[in-house]
Amino acid sequence: MRTVVVVSTLLCLSSPLARGEGDLFTDRIRPILARHCLKCHGPDDKARKGDLRLDVRADALAPAASGDPAIVAGDPDASELLARIVSDDPNEVMPPPSTKNPLNDEQKRLLREWIASGAEYREHWAFIPPRAIEPPPVGSGDRPLAPIDRFVQARLAKEGLEPMPEAERAVLLRRVSLDLIGLPPTPEETKAFLEDTSTNAYEKVVDRLLHSPHYGERWARKWLDLARYADTNGYEKDRPRSIWPYRDWLIKALNDDMSFSRFTIEQIAGDMLPDAGVDQLVATGFHRNTMLNEEGGIDPLEFRWYAMNDRTTTTGTTWLGLTLLCAQCHTHKYDPIPHADYYRFQALMDNADEPEIALPSPDREKRLAEIEREVERLAEELPDRFPAIADDPAPATPPRDDSVRRRAGFDRGFAAWLESRSHDARRWKTLLPKRASSEVPQLVDEGAGVIFVRGDQTKRDVYTIELDPAAAAGATAISLTALADDRLPKGGPGRVYYEGPHGDFFLSEFRIRAGDRPLRIVSATQSFAGNGAAGAGAAIDGDPQTGWTVNGGQGRSHAAVFVLEKPIDGNSPVTVELVFERYHAAGLGKFRLAATTDPRPPIAASHAPDVQAALAADPAKRSKPQFELLRRTYALEAPELAEARKAIEALRRSAPAATTTLVMRERPASNRRATHVRHRGEWLQPKEQVEPAVPSILPQLPSDAPADRLALARWLASPANPLSGRVTVNRAWAAFFGTGIVRTTEDFGYQGDSPSHPELLDHLAVEFMKTGSFKQLHKSIVMSATYRQDSAASPAALAKDPQNRLLSRGPRVRLDAETLRDQALAVSGLLSPRIGGPSVFPPQPPGITTEGAFGAFAWKVSTGGDQYRRGLYTFTKRTTPYAMFNTFDAPSGEYCLSRREVSNTPLQALMLLNDPVFDEAARALGRSAADQPGDDAARIERLFEHCLTRRPTAEECSAMLGFLETQRGRLRSGELDATKLSGSEGSKVEKAAAIERAAWSTLSRAILNLDEMVTKG
């Protein structure tokens, strides 16, 4: 294959800035070819023009379609490539004018120089395994330099630059606190650090922060961007989902410093591990964060495929730093990823089912046990509440007390019920299917006539069950028992797990055929029908939009009986068809068919299998436990006891709902999905089937293990993978410095930027894959002198390193949305420290969540401390994200995001001034400052230091004093509303006190809006 050639001749992208010693091809030529030539002359065979390929040296030097080679090594004047790029003829010049992507004179000169030097090609740096590199020696200083600093300072020395001195201690403390836990230091922590004169004072702070439970919250938010976490399904309806247990798992995993290998494997394939438990299932929620379309007209298989595209792309971005999505429709235009490779990679993840599971909860189980005990007690009392029967009128019979007469009434009703139901149970004969099938769902014969359904669902599913004609001969009615099962959503008996009520089904039509002849069904009854819905009769009316459903009865078995016009003659093959056309064709999950030859109208029995067995048993052989089971069953359904059972029903309704979450479960090999290449990336154009594999450009999976999700997970976390380590440490670097060593954190391919410090990147990657510890990686970065530098830039650094790519100074980075809010809540004393749990609804302007086809979404503001939880826990609605976060560039959760955009707009300033959360934070700060002892200057200094960690300068103090006095004057004159600004509305605060609090609140609001406050410097 041509791919093998590509592997050995890949072009390399690495800038002079990165390498220090320039390499003409890797530093200059490769970027020119990638940005100007490879779209038409790169890996994509179908898009290639003129049969010319420039990413492979052998092809570039071979004769082109015109007969002349594009490149003649050592002879630029004989090279057609050079002739084309310098041509003045608009019909000949390359790139064509229509692309609006011309080469400049410098680029043309470099191409000539490169061809003259021999047109050397080199392999792309990202696909070469990282290697341990000895940090370069650097001039001696006061203390030994960490490896990070040796790489950075050696590079700076080559550029004639000096690193900046260490930042002030207070500034450094705020920086590292915001970076490691996403919260500013408290005044007590600041005081302790500034008074600690030990040589390891800073390291003690770092260790404390790494062990803080808030560390996991800070870094979980970074990972959730990749996981495209949200609390709703997306698309038109955008209904809520329960996925927050995955977020809790993530926080704990990071706090526990779970190894990168385990961290990767559990999220990709935790369900497939030999020791898999609930936690490992919850971890697979990483790929259940995909959006889910619940619109009625969609094909669920099509949108499942879109979800698979999202998972393929997300995996490529998160662990490989590759733009795999570009290969969905065709071979990648720039990177050596063939079209088929995309679907081979997808096939590794394409064999999972996507259930929703209930999580164990000791508190809930305790409460359920209490409810069950109370239900048992009430059930035992039911016979004593049965309507009493009259005494025998014979004079010799003594009158009985009321309880005896009630028991007698119960016994009489039970006997009648038992006789009718027992006879009905015994006359039904289970029908054993000869064959059960459906086009997409898999119908599994589990014995004793029971059929379990698994696999995918389509817009219209038809279950076809072929019966033995002899067994069905003479049947006057067919019963369909929908069986509950813990393997099904909410215990079944249906398979609905997204649009529609979970665990329900919708039987549109029930049909019976003898040979090719349909048999007429004259009536249908059922034991239970869903909340006000039509019963089984709607499944024989010929209208697929009506049908039998059992919503409200999930977790219990139900039955329907279909009465035939004439008995089945048994001369032709008998086939039963169950048609499902609603709830995305979510059909039955488990069922059984039975027949009766009795001409009397049958009763639709809905009892559990143990009750049915007890009813069908010979009365003389019925055991005492079976008899007691039947008495209890009668008590729980006798119409005479309906009023008495209301207390039991209320108890059951009071049962706490289970916490659920979305997970992955691998399907059995016998039901493995087939994955096909989709021509032009179109769902409706499946072509050749492909086998699971990783991209051919990278080291392949081991040959001694199945190619599945678990193999993929282990491969992603393997040191043999040249990308995972680099990509992961690069994102961490970007989190600390604002920009990664590779600026394009999402793209390590040909179109991505080159690493600014390639040797440092490899060093960090090798060490990280060796230790597997996020905390060790983070500590090595924040302990480095590079990180601890002052963020001020010298004139020389501004001239040579304006964007700090050489790391000539410390990071100065705008805070992300969640940290901005968390910081305001923290300094104002409002922040709730609670960790984990469901998402919450903090205050925001009304009306934001009222849009959408599903109607207004009730953003009910949380009460108590929940409205002051960290931004990590804010409910994320994909179609209308939380307004403040949206304004500050936070993602909506629709797609995997490796790098947030950073903007600075007037709307952000207005948000900080007027958002309800910042408004309340400013008021709380103002009240606290106004109530502090001392004069204005002392209170200003405390307020400023509390917010920004450092003390204000004399000039800053003077400016704040002047501002404070101005606000007092405006408040006294009535220009500003003191009660509103101070938060004293409705209270009996004196006017003078309200003015004072309001003045300090306006000053607090100004401080919260300072550039230094919204920046990590």
Side-chain angles (χ1 to χ4, degrees):
M1 293 176 62
R2 296 297 293 274
T3 306
V4 177
V5 177
V6 174
V7 172
S8 62
T9 58
L10 290 173
L11 312 182
C12 179
L13 177 57
S14 186
S15 73
L17 177 65
R19 300 175 59 85
E21 296 178 359
D23 174 87
L24 181 60
F25 177 77
T26 54
D27 294 340
R28 304 295 184 88
I29 302 304
R30 175 60 185 88
I32 294 173
L33 295 177
R35 292 163 191 167
H36 296 272
C37 307
L38 295 190
K39 184 175 181 180
C40 298
H41 302 292
D44 190 352
D45 293 338
K46 294 180 180 178
R48 194 174 301 132
K49 304 291 180 61
D51 197 27
L52 172 60
R53 184 170 186 174
L54 293 176
D55 64 326
V56 177
R57 188 175 191 272
D59 287 7
L61 270 60
S66 63
D68 298 322
I71 297 174
V72 178
D75 191 349
D77 293 330
S79 300
E80 181 69 12
L81 173 68
L82 198 64
R84 288 297 191 97
I85 66 174
V86 300
S87 174
D88 294 327
D89 185 344
N91 296 318
E92 296 288 335
V93 67
M94 289 291 166
S98 60
T99 66
K100 298 181 180 179
N101 190 25
L103 294 167
N104 59 39
D105 291 341
E106 175 63 11
Q107 291 170 323
K108 295 173 184 178
R109 185 192 66 77
L110 287 170
L111 286 169
R112 171 178 284 277
E113 180 183 337
W114 170 61
I115 295 172
S117 67
E120 178 190 16
Y121 278 69
R122 294 199 180 191
E123 192 171 354
H124 184 48
W125 65 269
F127 302 134
I128 302 172
R131 57 191 178 90
I133 301 171
E134 182 65 24
V138 180
S140 60
D142 295 335
R143 63 173 183 264
L145 288 175
I148 289 175
D149 302 319
R150 290 164 65 183
F151 284 113
V152 171
Q153 292 191 21
R155 185 67 223 284
L156 287 173
K158 289 180 180 178
E159 296 293 329
L161 295 174
E162 291 285 338
M164 291 297 290
E166 186 165 301
E168 293 181 11
R169 297 188 82 195
V171 172
L172 184 57
L173 177 63
R174 179 172 180 266
R175 178 191 298 174
V176 75
S177 294
L178 290 170
D179 272 340
L180 289 182
I181 66 171
L183 297 172
T186 65
E188 294 75 21
E189 290 167 346
T190 302
K191 183 174 182 294
F193 176 58
L194 296 179
E195 291 177 354
D196 188 347
T197 58
S198 60
T199 56
N200 66 336
Y202 176 71
E203 185 173 11
K204 286 189 288 186
V205 167
V206 170
D207 289 339
R208 172 178 60 80
L209 294 171
L210 289 171
H211 287 88
S212 166
H214 300 304
Y215 168 87
E217 293 180 307
R218 157 68 173 168
W219 290 93
R221 181 59 265 178
K222 295 290 185 183
W223 190 263
L224 290 176
D225 284 10
L226 297 164
R228 60 268 188 253
Y229 178 88
D231 295 293
T232 59
N233 290 332
Y235 292 110
E236 176 208 30
K237 289 184 171 63
D238 200 25
R239 290 196 260 209
R241 60 169 51 169
S242 177
I243 190 68
W244 61 264
Y246 165 74
R247 180 178 59 201
D248 281 7
W249 173 91
L250 180 59
I251 294 168
K252 185 177 186 303
L254 291 166
N255 276 334
D256 292 346
D257 202 20
M258 180 183 285
S259 72
F260 175 68
S261 174
R262 186 80 182 187
F263 184 75
T264 296
I265 291 169
E266 289 200 7
Q267 291 185 86
I268 297 293
D271 59 303
M272 300 176 70
L273 289 169
D275 59 344
V278 173
D279 284 351
Q280 286 67 47
L281 280 172
V282 172
T284 63
F286 176 84
H287 269 325
R288 288 304 312 279
N289 280 310
T290 48
M291 293 197 295
L292 179 65
N293 195 334
E294 300 179 281
E295 297 172 38
I298 64 116
D299 184 335
L301 286 184
E302 178 182 7
F303 277 86
R304 186 194 168 277
W305 178 70
Y306 289 137
M308 285 308 306
N309 290 332
D310 171 70
R311 289 168 188 159
T312 303
T313 302
T314 296
T315 305
T317 299
T318 303
W319 279 274
L320 303 178
L322 295 177
T323 54
L324 293 183
L325 184 63
C326 296
Q328 176 186 333
C329 304
H330 47 69
T331 290
H332 203 294
K333 298 291 186 185
Y334 306 100
D335 296 340
I337 304 172
H339 186 39
D341 271 14
Y342 175 87
Y343 291 98
R344 294 188 186 103
F345 191 71
Q346 186 177 101
L348 289 164
M349 296 175 280
D350 200 19
N351 197 44
D353 283 330
E354 303 174 7
E356 180 180 55
I357 64 168
L359 300 179
S361 165
D363 290 342
R364 178 174 180 269
E365 289 164 11
K366 178 183 177 182
R367 177 59 186 149
L368 290 178
E370 292 172 351
I371 289 173
E372 196 55 39
R373 285 194 296 270
E374 183 64 12
V375 166
E376 287 290 336
R377 185 185 68 79
L378 293 173
E380 288 176 2
E381 296 175 355
L382 284 175
D384 293 326
R385 303 186 65 183
F386 202 86
I389 62 171
D391 280 327
D392 191 326
T397 303
R400 294 174 293 178
D401 62 39
D402 190 61
S403 64
V404 173
R405 289 187 292 117
R406 288 181 182 279
R407 287 272 177 177
F410 178 85
D411 289 341
R412 181 179 296 179
F414 173 57
W417 175 87
L418 188 60
E419 180 181 3
S420 64
R421 293 299 171 94
S422 295
H423 174 78
D424 192 69
R426 284 191 288 270
R427 63 175 165 159
W428 288 102
K429 179 174 64 176
T430 298
L431 295 172
L432 303 179
K434 292 179 63 177
R435 182 172 174 270
S437 62
S438 182
E439 185 174 344
V440 174
Q442 185 182 28
L443 274 57
V444 181
D445 188 343
E446 296 192 325
V450 174
I451 295 173
F452 187 81
V453 186
R454 61 191 182 200
D456 296 319
Q457 299 159 187
T458 69
K459 292 178 69 172
R460 182 180 188 272
D461 286 331
V462 179
Y463 300 174
T464 302
I465 302 96
E466 297 177 15
L467 304 173
D468 183 347
T476 56
I478 301 292
S479 74
L480 169 66
T481 303
L483 299 167
D485 193 289
D486 287 340
R487 291 172 290 179
L488 299 170
K490 288 187 74 171
R495 303 180 71 217
V496 174
Y497 66 94
Y498 44 102
E499 204 253 343
H502 289 202
D504 196 10
F505 63 88
F506 194 96
L507 179 63
S508 299
E509 292 296 312
F510 182 93
R511 301 168 181 164
I512 309 175
R513 294 197 319 269
D516 295 330
R517 178 172 54 88
L519 301 182
R520 184 167 180 265
I521 300 172
V522 294
S523 66
T525 57
Q526 73 289 323
S527 60
F528 181 85
N531 302 339
I540 60 172
D541 61 0
D543 183 356
Q545 297 304 306
T546 62
W548 179 37
T549 175
V550 296
N551 184 31
Q554 289 94 328
R556 305 197 303 272
S557 298
H558 307 283
V561 171
F562 300 91
V563 179
L564 298 167
E565 183 180 39
K566 297 177 181 178
I568 296 175
D569 59 24
N571 297 323
S572 304
V574 177
T575 302
V576 172
E577 285 185 347
L578 310 180
V579 182
F580 305 93
E581 291 196 35
R582 288 279 299 276
Y583 300 155
H584 293 182
L588 279 165
K590 187 176 180 180
F591 64 94
R592 179 177 56 221
L593 294 170
T596 181
T597 57
D598 197 313
R600 293 179 299 169
I603 300 171
S606 63
H607 303 116
D610 55 345
V611 177
Q612 283 292 99
L615 286 170
D618 185 336
K621 297 179 180 180
R622 191 176 282 146
S623 67
K624 184 177 180 180
Q626 285 182 316
F627 184 77
E628 292 300 324
L629 173 65
L630 293 176
R631 279 181 65 86
R632 175 187 169 86
T633 302
Y634 171 66
L636 292 175
E637 67 177 54
E640 296 88 344
L641 291 171
E643 185 67 27
R645 286 195 300 269
K646 286 184 178 179
I648 293 177
E649 293 163 1
L651 261 179
R652 293 200 183 282
R653 286 194 300 271
S654 73
T659 295
T660 62
T661 194
L662 308 176
V663 303
M664 309 273 277
R665 282 191 189 273
E666 191 72 356
R667 293 155 64 110
S670 61
N671 194 29
R672 186 172 187 87
R673 287 191 185 93
T675 305
H676 297 82
V677 173
R678 303 280 171 172
H679 180 59
R680 298 183 64 83
E682 289 288 345
W683 158 249
L684 295 176
Q685 297 195 53
K687 299 298 181 182
E688 67 271 17
Q689 183 174 336
V690 293
E691 294 302 313
V694 297
S696 51
I697 189 64
L698 297 170
Q700 295 299 289
L701 296 173
S703 58
D704 58 351
D708 54 21
R709 254 190 314 128
L710 184 56
L712 168 65
R714 288 172 172 156
W715 177 84
L716 289 171
S718 168
N721 184 330
L723 289 167
S724 293
R726 284 185 176 125
V727 169
T728 304
V729 301
N730 186 65
R731 275 198 307 266
W733 191 272
F736 288 109
F737 287 90
T739 304
I741 297 173
V742 177
R743 187 187 63 84
T744 51
T745 55
E746 72 286 353
D747 189 359
F748 274 48
Y750 290 175
Q751 287 290 93
D753 280 9
S754 57
S756 60
H757 297 75
E759 293 85 1
L760 172 58
L761 180 63
D762 279 8
H763 166 79
L764 291 172
V766 169
E767 287 299 310
F768 176 68
M769 296 303 282
K770 187 185 301 180
T771 66
S773 169
F774 284 103
K775 288 188 176 182
Q776 286 189 44
L777 170 66
H778 296 165
K779 182 174 181 178
S780 69
I781 293 174
V782 300
M783 288 299 299
S784 70
T786 302
Y787 173 81
R788 293 156 71 171
Q789 294 178 97
D790 193 308
S791 61
S794 67
L798 278 178
K800 283 193 173 184
D801 189 21
Q803 296 184 357
N804 202 26
R805 300 295 287 125
L806 292 174
L807 303 168
S808 58
R809 55 192 177 275
R812 183 171 181 81
V813 181
R814 193 172 179 84
L815 298 180
D816 56 31
E818 296 86 350
T819 306
L820 276 171
R821 181 178 179 275
D822 294 348
Q823 176 182 243
L825 291 175
V827 298
S828 64
L830 296 174
L831 182 68
S832 167
R834 183 187 163 205
I835 295 174
S839 296
V840 296
F841 300 84
Q844 68 170 340
I848 289 176
T849 60
T850 58
E851 299 299 322
F854 191 56
F857 176 80
W859 185 276
K860 186 178 180 181
V861 175
S862 299
T863 58
D866 276 352
Q867 62 182 301
Y868 305 118
R869 299 285 304 281
R870 292 193 68 167
L872 172 72
Y873 304 110
T874 297
F875 189 92
T876 301
K877 180 173 171 61
R878 283 181 159 119
T879 52
T880 50
Y882 183 59
M884 182 262 159
F885 292 168
N886 195 38
T887 303
F888 282 89
D889 309 308
S892 65
E894 294 171 281
Y895 305 103
C896 171
L897 189 69
S898 177
R899 175 172 48 132
R900 290 191 186 186
E901 295 298 324
V902 179
S903 63
N904 188 348
T905 69
L907 186 59
Q908 292 173 348
L910 290 171
M911 178 68 74
L912 293 176
L913 286 168
N914 298 293
D915 181 79
V917 172
F918 286 88
D919 181 53
E920 189 169 358
R923 288 194 226 167
L925 271 171
R927 286 195 300 270
S928 176
D931 295 341
Q932 291 290 319
D935 59 15
D936 285 349
R939 285 187 282 180
I940 280 175
E941 184 169 318
R942 281 195 295 268
L943 174 61
F944 190 89
E945 187 174 7
H946 182 52
C947 292
L948 286 165
T949 307
R950 70 172 179 86
R951 291 181 177 178
T953 65
E955 184 181 4
E956 289 168 333
C957 278
S958 176
M960 286 186 283
L961 279 168
F963 180 83
L964 186 65
E965 279 304 314
T966 300
Q967 301 312 306
R968 282 172 174 153
R970 297 176 70 192
L971 287 159
R972 292 188 185 109
S973 69
E975 182 182 347
L976 297 177
D977 186 340
T979 56
K980 182 177 180 181
L981 287 171
S982 66
S984 304
E985 292 175 284
S987 67
K988 296 181 180 179
V989 177
E990 293 181 4
K991 183 177 180 181
I995 287 173
E996 189 66 7
R997 287 184 176 182
W1000 284 98
S1001 294
T1002 55
L1003 176 60
S1004 299
R1005 194 187 307 272
I1007 292 175
L1008 290 177
N1009 274 265
L1010 290 175
D1011 177 71
E1012 188 175 346
M1013 193 73 187
V1014 301
T1015 306
K1016 176 193 72 179

